[in-house]
Amino acid sequence: MGGDDLPVGRRVARWRVRRRMSQQVFADRLGKSKSWVDKVERGVRTLDRYSVIQEIAEVLRIDPALLLGTQLPSSDRTGALDGVDGLRAALARYDPTAAAVSSAELERHVAHAWLTYQHAHYAQVVRALPGLLDAARSRHATVPEGAAELLVRTYRLSSSVLVKLGEADLGWLAADRAVAVAGDDPALAGTAAVAVGQALRALGRGRLALAVTVAAARRVAPRPVRDAPPVRQALCGTLLIEAALAAAEHGDPRRADELIDLAAGIAVRVGAGDDRRRGGPPA
């Protein structure tokens, strides 16, 4: 994808197809005409302004350098892409293969992995995740009490980094595993639903992402939302923001505005805060 010998327009077309967007949907999100997109992709129209390339990259959710062909194969990115196969193999395993570690030790490793992800060191995260997944699954299988949250967080991290690396299908699988582990716990299920929404949006399935995140928000903090504990309200707000993004990408700006207003009301009540279910950074 995006080899150096490809024209910019071809790179745009390939990433658009990978994101499962039609030319019309892509044009709408850019505020351009379908004809403009078609000319760019065929090389009839030249992209000579970096600001336009940045806008295109933002819609495609990629680094602008991937469109320009100027991104050197840094060791971090190369290592991250090479490590995806190991993470894929880990997700394909169903029986825990690692010795169970203490909850405190596992907590430290998962927290460090999230911090590493937030600093964009994806190669390190991808290398660590197969072992973390095995350890978290072993803990969940042998000492279930309190282990579900750590496993959900690990699956969610797996989903987030895979989506970031352009492996949205695999990211959706990891997110779906998080939902299965969460079971009937509304807060854990809500944390997992954030990852599901992100993966579905990356796959171009905004309508489904909207339905999943709105349903999870209602479970996390049933109406009236203000009566729910602050932690639940904050998670509900995260889900509403994710739902608003899905609505906007699905072409429903009115619904997106409504969801943003609801999330803003929650923010006023509970403050900025962080995701205290430790599912990682907010959507």
Side-chain angles (χ1 to χ4, degrees), residues 74-96:
S74 68
S75 59
D76 190 72
R77 182 169 181 83
T78 302
L81 295 175
D82 290 344
V84 167
D85 285 340
L87 183 50
R88 179 182 288 108
L91 288 169
R93 291 194 288 271
Y94 289 88
D95 296 327

Side-chain angles (χ1 to χ4, degrees), residues 12 81 99 172 187 191 195 213 262:
V12 171
L81 295 175
W172 180 86
T191 294
T213 48
L262 289 172

Side-chain angles (χ1 to χ4, degrees), residues 2 4 6 8 11 47 50 53 63-71:
D4 288 346
L6 288 177
V8 175
R11 295 192 187 100
L47 291 175
Y50 186 68
I53 292 174
D63 189 319
L66 288 175
L67 297 178
L68 293 170
T70 57
Q71 181 162 350

Side-chain angles (χ1 to χ4, degrees), residues 1-4 6 10-11 13-18 66:
M1 181 71 64
D4 288 346
L6 288 177
R10 287 284 302 280
R11 295 192 187 100
R14 288 195 175 190
W15 278 103
R16 173 184 61 77
V17 171
R18 186 166 186 172
L66 288 175

Side-chain angles (χ1 to χ4, degrees), residues 193-194 196-198 208-218 239-240 242-244 246:
V194 173
V196 173
Q198 291 170 336
L208 186 53
L210 174 62
V212 167
T213 48
V214 168
R218 288 172 177 165
L239 285 159
L240 291 175
E242 187 64 38

Side-chain angles (χ1 to χ4, degrees), residues 2 28 38 58 77-78 134 175 199 201 235 239 253 268 272 277 279:
D28 290 344
D38 182 65
E58 184 175 349
R77 182 169 181 83
T78 302
D134 282 346
R201 285 197 300 109
L235 178 55
L239 285 159
V268 169
R277 288 302 294 192

Side-chain angles (χ1 to χ4, degrees), residues 104-220:
E105 182 180 357
L106 185 57
E107 164 72 33
R108 286 195 300 272
H109 286 305
V110 173
H112 180 265
W114 268 111
L115 186 62
T116 304
Y117 169 79
Q118 289 171 331
H119 284 85
H121 298 313
Y122 303 134
Q124 292 177 244
V125 178
V126 170
R127 284 196 300 268
L129 275 169
L132 276 181
L133 279 173
D134 282 346
R137 284 187 294 218
S138 292
R139 181 76 188 176
H140 188 249
T142 56
V143 189
E145 186 176 356
E149 181 177 352
L150 284 169
L151 184 51
V152 167
R153 287 167 56 194
T154 307
Y155 274 129
R156 182 179 166 189
L157 174 57
S158 300
S159 178
S160 295
V161 74
L162 286 165
V163 168
K164 185 69 70 175
L165 293 172
E167 299 288 343
D169 284 306
L170 202 56
W172 180 86
L173 173 62
D176 186 63
R177 295 280 176 81
V179 171
V181 172
D184 294 329
D185 184 323
L188 272 185
T191 294
V194 173
V196 173
Q198 291 170 336
L200 288 173
R201 285 197 300 109
L203 289 168
R205 299 180 181 178
R207 185 194 298 271
L208 186 53
L210 174 62
V212 167
T213 48
V214 168
R218 288 172 177 165
R219 283 190 65 199
V220 166

